[in-house]
Amino acid sequence: MSGAEGPGAPDEHEGEEGRVDRADGGREGHGGVGGGSGRGPAGADGPGSDRPPRIPTPRASVEDGGLALPGLAELGDLTPAPLDLPHDVLKSLLGAWALAACSAAETAAVEDHLGSCGSCADEARRLREAVGLLHQPETLDLDPGLRTRVLESCLERRPPHIPVPGWAAAYDAETARLDALLQDFGDSEWHAPVRLRWFEADAPRSRRTTVAGVIAHLLSVDGLVAVALGLDDPLTEIAGVAEQHAVGPAGRTEAFWQTSHFPPTRSVRGPWREQSHSLVRTVSFTGGHAGGLGVSYDDFELPLHDAMLDRAFECWVHAEDIADAVDYPYPPPAPRHLNKMIDLAARMLPAALARRRRTGLTSPPHGRHLGLAGEPGRSLRLEIEGAAGGEWLIPLDSPAAVGSADLEVAHVALDGVEFCRLAAGRLPPEEVAVGQVGDREAIRHVLLATAGLSRM
């Protein structure tokens, strides 16, 4: 505390209040607090009285001066006087009126004019509707199902002369969705890091690349289908003849990455999209009769119709990887396409279980023998929930056996998208939300076999 606060110390506000009184002619009610006279306390004169106050004093109001408030009659009519504007000026104000940017007087003049001018009233209505379109509360992103609805509407009116086979429709849709995601990517998005993930020998594996590297991976593996159809192999064109011996998805991808002159960039999008169009056109021209043509994946082979489903599945999974890398939402495929992908994975499970037995990851149950081809065998009921769901009986002891409800030893229930992410290696088997009853060992091996379907 300073010594200036003792008795007889000068009041720092006195100089300012004194000036207010003098400037105001000494009238009461101004410059003071609470309607006082505005004079400082007695004995406040002293050094420092001419300094400005540290805190300005509040302004006085009518009530502080004891004066009566004016009546409404004295205030008069507060409504703005109407404007007398010519027709051309009023018409030019319609845009501002629709945007609520006119003054009160202009708004009154325009609205009065609209009651007597039909042409301006029609124009005002159209402008208001246009303004409503500028203020949509919902997202401006296109509905993911818009493309499907437009195509269905067009095909109902005019069926295609050369239709896409049903088993190739999922690939056609998923490549189009991924291409739509890529179309606005800048350089930074194309070089965003992406980690490819899969399971091998019951252990997670991963490989680091970029968005452009993922598209190069899709281009090289889709080339397996292109070779089966007699089309040009993109690996030969890019990596050269020396790499023609590269087989399998992983080998072809590594050859593409290692022999390219530069890391993949946005330039890889064009060849990938052209190849996907060529695949769809070629299988469409066959009339669907080539569906049984074999496509080799090095260690196994798929019929063409299953290979196209496999490529559609991988296109969706890697599109999700890309969308995660750039923080963009990406919905699952249409239920009818997702159901076919789930069906393919379920049909591949018996062979995957057999591979696990051959490699020593799974041993046959004690006291049981492998089932004979074409005969019923021990089975697991796989129930997939959701719009793309269904039920499959998975033979456990032989890929050639037939699933049997009478020999059912376990029942597993999974969400459709979660099952697909397990089959893609994006979800560890122990983290799957699964409803299960029955033989726990059989359930465990089926979940591990599902994760083992994944590959780079």
Side-chain angles (χ1 to χ4, degrees):
M1 177 177 292
S2 66
E5 293 183 8
D11 190 341
E12 295 182 356
H13 296 279
E14 187 277 331
E16 178 66 19
E17 293 177 355
R19 282 196 297 275
V20 171
D21 287 344
R22 288 191 294 271
D24 212 8
R27 290 178 295 176
E28 295 184 358
H30 294 275
V33 179
S37 63
R39 301 180 183 275
D45 296 335
S49 60
D50 56 343
R51 288 181 298 175
R54 287 182 299 174
I55 302 176
T57 56
R59 293 183 299 172
S61 65
V62 174
E63 293 92 333
D64 293 336
L67 301 178
L69 295 175
L72 295 178
E74 299 177 18
L75 294 175
D77 187 6
L78 299 178
T79 305
L83 298 177
D84 185 13
L85 302 175
H87 178 271
D88 292 343
V89 175
L90 292 169
K91 186 175 181 180
S92 67
L93 289 173
L94 292 179
W97 172 83
L99 293 169
C102 288
S103 66
E106 290 172 338
T107 300
V110 170
E111 293 177 350
D112 183 65
H113 176 68
L114 294 179
S116 58
C117 181
S119 62
C120 285
D122 292 340
E123 180 68 14
R125 177 180 54 80
R126 288 192 293 269
L127 290 171
R128 271 290 169 88
E129 291 174 354
V131 169
L133 295 176
L134 297 175
H135 297 281
Q136 288 291 331
E138 60 270 9
T139 176
L140 296 179
D141 290 338
L142 293 179
D143 181 358
L146 178 61
R147 178 179 184 272
T148 301
R149 293 198 301 271
V150 171
L151 288 177
E152 288 178 350
S153 176
C154 294
L155 294 177
E156 287 175 358
R157 295 172 179 266
R158 181 180 297 177
H161 182 64
I162 303 176
V164 176
W167 43 266
Y171 177 79
D172 186 29
E174 291 309 308
T175 52
R177 289 208 305 149
L178 175 54
D179 188 55
L181 173 66
L182 299 174
Q183 65 182 353
D184 294 327
F185 276 19
D187 290 339
S188 60
E189 285 86 1
W190 279 101
H191 296 291
V194 179
R195 186 171 293 279
L196 303 180
R197 293 170 290 164
W198 69 97
F199 269 75
E200 187 177 318
D202 293 349
R205 298 285 188 269
S206 66
R207 182 72 157 79
R208 186 182 176 88
T209 183
T210 63
V211 169
V214 174
I215 302 303
H217 167 60
L218 291 175
L219 173 67
S220 59
V221 182
D222 284 358
L224 292 171
V225 182
V227 171
L229 290 172
L231 302 176
D232 293 335
D233 186 355
L235 188 63
T236 302
E237 297 178 7
I238 297 173
V241 179
E243 297 297 334
Q244 286 186 357
H245 65 276
V247 293
R252 290 175 62 86
T253 301
E254 292 290 353
F256 187 105
W257 287 343
Q258 292 174 10
T259 58
S260 297
H261 296 294
F262 302 99
T265 62
R266 64 166 66 243
S267 62
V268 77
R269 178 192 172 199
W272 166 76
R273 192 63 178 123
E274 179 56 35
Q275 178 178 256
S276 65
H277 281 309
S278 298
L279 293 178
V280 174
R281 281 196 302 267
T282 303
V283 299
S284 299
F285 281 124
T286 64
H289 302 301
L293 180 68
V295 178
S296 175
Y297 284 73
D298 185 25
D299 55 344
F300 66 96
E301 184 175 290
L302 288 177
L304 178 60
H305 63 271
D306 283 346
M308 293 295 285
L309 271 177
D310 172 76
R311 303 315 305 143
F313 176 78
E314 187 165 354
C315 183
W316 162 48
V317 169
H318 287 317
E320 278 198 337
D321 293 338
I322 292 172
D324 289 342
V326 298
D327 196 21
Y328 194 85
Y330 199 83
R336 65 181 182 278
H337 295 159
L338 188 61
N339 176 265
K340 293 180 179 180
M341 297 175 192
I342 293 171
D343 177 70
L344 173 63
R347 288 188 283 110
M348 294 176 69
L349 277 176
L353 289 167
R355 283 196 301 272
R356 290 178 59 81
R357 286 191 292 268
R358 288 197 302 269
T359 56
L361 295 174
T362 305
S363 58
H366 179 69
R368 291 185 178 273
H369 301 284
L370 295 181
L372 300 177
E375 291 188 358
R378 288 192 321 136
S379 304
L380 176 142
R381 182 179 298 275
L382 175 63
E383 179 183 351
I384 301 298
E385 302 171 340
E391 290 189 356
W392 289 262
L393 286 169
I394 311 298
L396 298 174
D397 299 329
S398 172
V402 178
S404 171
D406 295 333
L407 299 177
E408 180 181 322
V409 298
H411 186 169
V412 171
L414 275 165
D415 174 75
V417 174
E418 197 165 69
F419 173 78
C420 288
R421 287 176 177 151
L422 173 64
R426 299 307 187 268
L427 195 62
E430 59 272 12
E431 294 183 10
V432 177
V434 55
Q436 52 184 291
V437 62
D439 189 334
R440 296 302 176 90
E441 189 67 13
I443 293 171
R444 175 177 172 271
H445 287 307
V446 167
L447 294 178
L448 289 170
T450 303
L453 295 175
S454 61
R455 59 182 181 273
M456 187 177 81

